[in-house]
Amino acid sequence: MRLSLRTRLSLVYGSLFFGTACLLVAVTYLFTVWAVNAKFHATLPASQRSGNQPHFYGGPDIENQLAERRHEILDGLLQVSIVATVLLGALAFVLGYYLAGRMLRPLHTVTTTARRLSETTLHERIGLDGPHDEIKELADTFDQMLDRLHRAFDSQRRFIANASHELRTPLALGRTAIEVVLARPGTTSETRVLCDRLLAANTRHERLIDGLLTLARSERELRSPVPLDVQDLAADAIGQLHPVATRENVTLHAELASGPVLGDPVLLERSIVNLVENAIRYNVPDGHVWIRCGTHDEQTYVAVDNTGPVVSPENAEAIFKPFERLRGPRRGTDRGAGLGLSIVRAVLEAHDGTAQARPREQGGLTLTLKLPTTPLPTSPRPVPERSRPR
């Protein structure tokens, strides 16, 4: 059984008091017994011990009566002491529990503030008042750590914004220059071949930059999640990638059911797009991709199965690492930057979900996303415009 710190302190306080009280009662009782037995005796004068007095004044009768009185007094003292010790011990436990709560109240303030803090509320501080003791020092240290984290997150946000602009601008200029050369009527065939290669390299760089920026954003905490249905997201992803599947000679099969979640529509749709795109890219000629979604065991899931080469469990788990790729069986080189499934796992972790890969016995993979199910409102909010993959 896990006991709280307050309960443990109460038990320590009560046990110390009870043990000290028992020791005090034992010492007092033993001293009283010694004092009564040593001092509580009757000494008759010589005239009364001469034998000319009545028999009831005799020494043995008086000693017996005194012994009975001694036992009554000592037994009463012991009973009262035990009852008083038990009652005071119980009172000590109650008072200890109350005092422990008062002493630990600043720690509860620190805990509550820490639970409430997120990337968007890092400006809050504990600001604990009171004596400069160990708890005050802990709260001040926590506030200093929040200051450092706030500066770090602000720096990260500025870096992502600047990197997005600085990296995309030259690529866009390069793409424009290449397209202008291709649009000229007198461009030679050799130049066109070179421009096509440069344009393909430019496209790969754009995909890499977009993937890195999306990965950086998805690893941060969600700011404003909205109610969504993965059925709509999966249908949009299938619509986007249907031309790609047709070009790659891959057949898409959809079995979509409603799955309410709470999250970022752009990131979640991007994750589903990455799953389906990965299933299409790493497939076999005349292959198949099955997309399923719905709810099971109070969780919303999106599962994508594909045909393909046999994959070991170790390689299946490794594909979620950045820049890890499995070679497609129909291609001599791999397309993509190897960030697609890394983005998927980062997005799912930000949504308190999981992303798993399991090899299929016939070849290929089963990629499954699981998210906490959140009931949709009566009038679902419209899904914002989503970004499309390049």
Side-chain angles (χ1 to χ4, degrees):
M1 182 177 59
R2 179 179 179 272
L3 299 178
S4 64
L5 179 60
R6 183 179 184 181
T7 304
R8 283 182 286 169
L9 287 177
S10 303
L11 292 175
V12 171
Y13 296 154
S15 300
L16 288 177
F17 177 85
F18 190 76
T20 305
C22 290
L23 180 62
L24 179 62
V25 168
V27 172
T28 304
Y29 180 76
L30 293 176
F31 179 77
T32 304
V33 170
W34 174 81
V36 169
N37 291 331
K39 305 294 184 181
F40 200 53
H41 294 281
T43 303
L44 296 178
S47 60
Q48 295 182 2
R49 288 185 277 116
S50 60
N52 54 4
Q53 297 295 331
H55 179 70
F56 58 84
Y57 286 107
D61 293 332
I62 295 179
E63 285 296 334
N64 291 335
Q65 294 178 15
L66 292 178
E68 292 178 0
R69 298 296 182 272
R70 286 197 300 267
H71 285 97
E72 291 177 1
I73 293 173
L74 293 176
D75 291 343
L77 176 63
L78 182 61
Q79 294 175 4
V80 171
S81 300
I82 292 176
V83 172
T85 302
V86 172
L87 293 179
L88 291 178
L91 180 61
F93 279 109
V94 174
L95 292 177
Y97 189 81
Y98 173 75
L99 293 176
R102 292 290 301 270
M103 295 176 62
L104 294 175
R105 187 174 298 173
L107 283 181
H108 289 299
T109 302
V110 175
T111 303
T112 303
T113 304
R115 288 176 177 172
R116 188 175 63 250
L117 289 177
S118 65
E119 181 184 344
T120 56
T121 57
L122 283 177
H123 60 278
E124 297 185 13
R125 297 295 179 270
I126 298 174
L128 187 65
D129 296 328
H132 192 77
D133 53 8
E134 289 81 357
I135 298 180
K136 179 69 165 57
E137 184 178 357
L138 173 63
D140 293 342
T141 304
F142 194 82
D143 286 341
Q144 295 173 5
M145 182 188 68
L146 290 178
D147 290 336
R148 295 192 295 270
L149 287 176
H150 197 189
R151 290 193 298 268
F153 275 107
D154 283 341
S155 176
Q156 184 190 44
R157 281 192 288 266
R158 288 193 300 268
F159 170 78
I160 291 176
N162 294 335
S164 176
H165 175 74
E166 295 295 334
L167 294 176
R168 284 173 173 165
T169 299
L171 291 177
L173 293 176
R175 170 182 288 274
T176 302
I178 295 172
E179 291 175 347
V180 167
V181 173
L182 288 174
R184 290 177 182 173
T187 303
T188 63
S189 59
E190 292 82 0
T191 303
R192 289 183 179 277
V193 171
L194 178 60
C195 289
D196 288 338
R197 292 178 179 175
L198 292 176
L199 195 60
N202 191 283
T203 302
R204 286 196 298 270
H205 293 159
E206 289 178 349
R207 290 170 61 94
L208 174 60
I209 292 173
D210 288 341
L212 289 172
L213 294 176
T214 304
L215 180 61
R217 286 194 298 267
S218 62
E219 287 179 337
R220 294 157 52 191
E221 188 170 345
L222 301 178
R223 292 194 175 187
S224 55
V226 298
L228 302 168
D229 195 330
V230 295
Q231 183 180 18
D232 299 332
L233 300 179
D236 290 347
I238 293 173
Q240 294 179 41
L241 295 174
H242 191 271
V244 179
T246 302
R247 185 174 62 249
E248 298 290 344
N249 198 21
V250 173
T251 304
L252 299 181
H253 308 270
E255 185 180 342
L256 308 181
S258 178
V261 296
L262 189 67
D264 185 288
V266 176
L267 292 178
L268 286 179
E269 185 187 30
R270 178 65 181 270
S271 298
I272 298 175
V273 168
N274 285 351
L275 286 187
V276 179
E277 188 177 20
N278 183 83
I280 295 173
R281 178 179 297 122
Y282 301 102
N283 215 307
V284 294
D286 299 324
H288 297 268
V289 174
W290 295 269
I291 302 100
R292 296 172 287 112
C293 67
T295 58
H296 180 68
D297 291 339
E298 299 183 353
Q299 283 189 317
T300 296
Y301 70 91
V302 178
V304 178
D305 302 72
N306 73 318
T307 54
V310 176
V311 181
S312 65
E314 295 78 11
N315 290 335
E317 184 62 25
I319 61 177
F320 287 108
K321 299 178 181 179
F323 305 108
E324 289 287 341
R325 295 186 294 268
L326 297 178
R327 289 192 171 273
R330 297 182 297 170
R331 302 163 179 81
T333 59
D334 294 315
R335 294 179 292 181
L339 291 173
L341 295 183
S342 301
I343 293 173
V344 170
R345 173 158 286 183
V347 169
L348 267 292
E349 289 178 352
H351 286 78
D352 295 328
T354 59
Q356 299 175 344
R358 180 174 55 85
R360 300 175 70 243
E361 294 182 359
Q362 305 86 349
L365 290 172
T366 297
L367 299 173
T368 306
L369 309 183
K370 293 183 180 180
L371 293 162
T373 300
T374 304
L376 293 176
T378 305
S379 299
R381 296 172 58 181
V383 177
E385 184 67 23
R386 304 177 179 89
S387 61
R388 304 298 183 188
R390 294 181 182 272

